[in-house]
Amino acid sequence: MVRDDTAMGLIDMEYSTFGSCGRTLSVGVAGEGPPILFVPGTLQSADRWIDAGYVDALLDDHRLLLFDPLGHGRSERSTRVEDYAPAR
């Protein structure tokens, strides 16, 4: 895990990576309490939730999981179109 003070040093977010279908994906974790999973929209990263203020608003009472899908944010990028197709 890597400690990352995002949003001008106000949020203590730890990032870790995991493998899925041969690719490396990233998830940021912060806070304690009931979990909330954040998944960004197309062409955005998980940092979008920080920039929009959601993480600040929920951090004190929840465990926040900020996921970056393949090709987004801190997750691996692939040049193979097939890697972005739904699993069969």
Side-chain angles (χ1 to χ4, degrees):
M1 287 195 194
V2 176
R3 184 171 182 270
D4 184 16
D5 291 327
T6 54
M8 296 178 283
L10 301 177
I11 298 168
D12 186 16
M13 181 78 59
E14 291 200 11
Y15 290 91
S16 60
T17 58
F18 63 96
S20 177
C21 298
R23 299 293 176 198
T24 302
L25 305 177
S26 173
V27 64
V29 180
E32 296 296 328
I36 299 176
L37 174 63
F38 291 90
V39 179
T42 303
L43 303 178
Q44 297 180 351
S45 74
D47 289 342
R48 181 75 170 153
W49 299 110
I50 296 169
D51 298 340
Y54 290 98
V55 171
D56 267 340
L58 299 168
L59 185 62
D60 290 339
D61 300 316
H62 294 86
R63 182 165 188 81
L64 307 179
L65 306 159
L66 283 73
F67 174 70
D68 273 324
L70 180 65
H72 295 73
R74 290 170 180 82
S75 288
E76 180 180 350
R77 286 161 181 70
S78 176
T79 57
R80 294 173 7 123
V81 173
E82 311 80 56
D83 290 338
Y84 296 93
R88 293 182 183 197

